[in-house]
Amino acid sequence: QAKAAGRNTQRFFDPDMQAAVSMRAALEVDLRRGLNQRELLLYCQPVVDSSGKLLGAEALVRWNHPRRGLVLPGEFIPLAEQTGLILPLGQWVLEAACAQLVQWSRSALTRPFFLSVNVSVRQFRQPDFVTQVLGALQASGANPERLRFELTESLLLTDVEDSIARMEQLRRHGVGFSMDDFGTGYSSLSYLKRLPLDQLKIDQGFVRDLQTDPNDAAIVRTILALARSLDLSVVAEGVETPGQFEFLQRHGCQAFQGYLFARPMPAGMLERALLPAP
Ligand code: C2E
Ligand code: MG
Ligand code: MG
Ligand code: MG
């Protein structure tokens, strides 16, 4: 019957497409359940300076699925964004990050350092985003100066005026802002100058081949020079080899994140790694 109705109708019954739709629906139910069952975990990846000293960490969410094991954000963040589940998920990450900051401040840690939290566009544009962040900070007692948000270019540019207003409100309390995956979007210099940012994070896509691809090397050098002239700090993401590390240092990069130094780990492990040796 589908065949008789013509090509377009026939495509509607494409078994592959239908399988994809029902898989998506199942994943959504599963993620909703996982959120309620507290199956999310807060992982952290260290950010270090050129001597390997810890400067801070990035919070990276994981889903500890009862059957599938540890699921990476690439597999559920896009769905969470489409379904709106990113709102409770983002709230959970924010509260977990604040709790972690408080725990670190109470432990034997001597050096103060920051924790960066990734934010999705839907979460950032919530009318009460600023209120929710300030509420989480106050409820936990976390120091706003230790909290930093990572926003992407495309998020910031969806509504520049609104982005600036929200950032300014949180900056008044000491919260910092990084532009994530820098270089992959379309920021013009004029926007970059207007946005109240503290930091650029060089996308790992440029770091990966910087020793073999002259274009990537040029882009990385340009980002570092640009950041210097705008007085922004820079974190290079995805640093995996001593050669990449050496190149980045030689061109003035001062903060590094990547497997060469440490992989993302449960937040509690980072704390143990930091405690002075007995
Ligand atoms: P991102 O914010 O750009 O995070 C960096 C990603 O690079 C992480 O992937 C990290 O594990 C990975 N990475 C770090 N060092 C290296 C390296 O040396 N080599 C390679 N190949 N990869 C490295 P992950 O944890 O899978 O997260 C993927 C993305 O998911 C993140 O990209 C971020 O956009 C998103 N994400 C993670 N956690 C959250 C969250 O709590 N909220 C939101 N909205 N998004 C999140
Ligand atoms: Mg990030
Ligand atoms: Mg990134
Ligand atoms: Mg990325």
Side-chain angles (χ1 to χ4, degrees):
Q1 201 182 357
K3 210 169 194 171
R7 278 186 83 99
N8 290 339
T9 324
Q10 195 178 356
R11 282 186 56 196
F12 189 75
F13 293 103
D14 184 336
D16 285 350
M17 231 175 87
Q18 218 159 31
V21 168
S22 54
M23 244 181 72
R24 230 197 72 151
L27 182 61
E28 184 185 341
V29 171
D30 205 13
L31 181 56
R32 199 178 296 276
R33 183 198 50 74
L35 267 163
N36 291 330
Q37 301 292 316
R38 311 197 162 271
E39 289 170 10
L40 297 185
L41 297 175
L42 191 75
Y43 269 47
C44 283
Q45 186 178 29
V47 175
V48 301
D49 72 8
S50 52
S51 67
K53 194 184 86 172
L54 192 87
L55 298 170
E58 176 174 8
L60 294 161
V61 68
R62 300 294 181 251
W63 180 10
N64 186 20
H65 193 279
R67 273 179 301 103
R68 298 165 65 201
L70 214 58
V71 185
L72 294 173
E75 280 199 55
F76 61 92
I77 292 280
L79 179 86
E81 281 167 346
Q82 288 161 29
T83 55
L85 284 174
I86 195 68
L87 298 177
L89 190 154
Q91 184 69 23
W92 181 86
V93 171
L94 177 63
E95 286 169 11
C98 287
Q100 196 52 243
L101 277 171
V102 171
Q103 203 175 317
W104 283 333
S105 74
R106 286 189 184 146
S107 70
L109 292 180
T110 44
R111 279 195 304 271
F113 61 91
F114 66 84
L115 184 57
S116 297
V117 171
N118 293 284
V119 176
S120 287
V121 62
R122 198 146 162 185
Q123 193 188 354
F124 186 69
R125 297 290 174 217
Q126 280 269 104
D128 59 350
F129 175 71
V130 170
T131 316
Q132 279 181 7
V133 172
L134 295 178
L137 282 165
Q138 205 152 40
S140 62
N143 182 350
E145 311 242 343
R146 303 268 171 270
L147 183 65
R148 185 175 294 174
F149 286 115
E150 296 194 3
L151 310 174
T152 60
E153 290 176 70
S154 62
L155 174 149
L156 288 166
L157 299 187
T158 50
D159 185 343
V160 178
E161 299 307 325
D162 183 67
S163 299
I164 294 173
R166 284 164 196 259
M167 291 165 84
E168 291 292 2
Q169 286 179 58
L170 286 169
R171 282 173 69 91
R172 254 176 257 140
H173 296 266
V175 176
F177 289 92
S178 304
M179 193 185 270
D180 204 357
D181 306 337
F182 186 71
T184 59
Y186 308 93
S187 306
S188 71
L189 280 177
S190 57
Y191 283 140
L192 202 54
K193 259 184 80 171
R194 287 183 56 210
L195 290 166
L197 289 163
D198 304 277
Q199 184 172 73
L200 302 179
K201 295 192 77 169
I202 305 179
D203 190 70
Q204 57 189 59
F206 302 116
V207 173
R208 190 178 307 127
D209 299 325
L210 58 75
Q211 286 183 285
T212 49
D213 185 335
N215 291 325
D216 286 346
I219 290 171
V220 168
R221 282 198 308 270
T222 305
I223 295 175
L224 286 165
L226 180 68
R228 252 192 313 278
S229 68
L230 292 174
D231 204 22
L232 298 170
S233 67
V234 178
V235 176
E237 290 192 282
V239 184
E240 293 185 352
T241 69
Q244 293 165 343
F245 181 41
E246 191 273 328
F247 178 99
L248 289 159
Q249 277 183 288
R250 186 150 38 88
H251 291 95
C253 189
Q254 289 172 341
F256 312 86
Q257 180 179 351
Y259 297 167
L260 180 63
F261 309 99
R263 292 191 174 242
M265 59 182 92
M269 264 179 69
L270 190 127
E271 187 181 8
R272 278 198 294 281
L274 288 171
L275 287 172

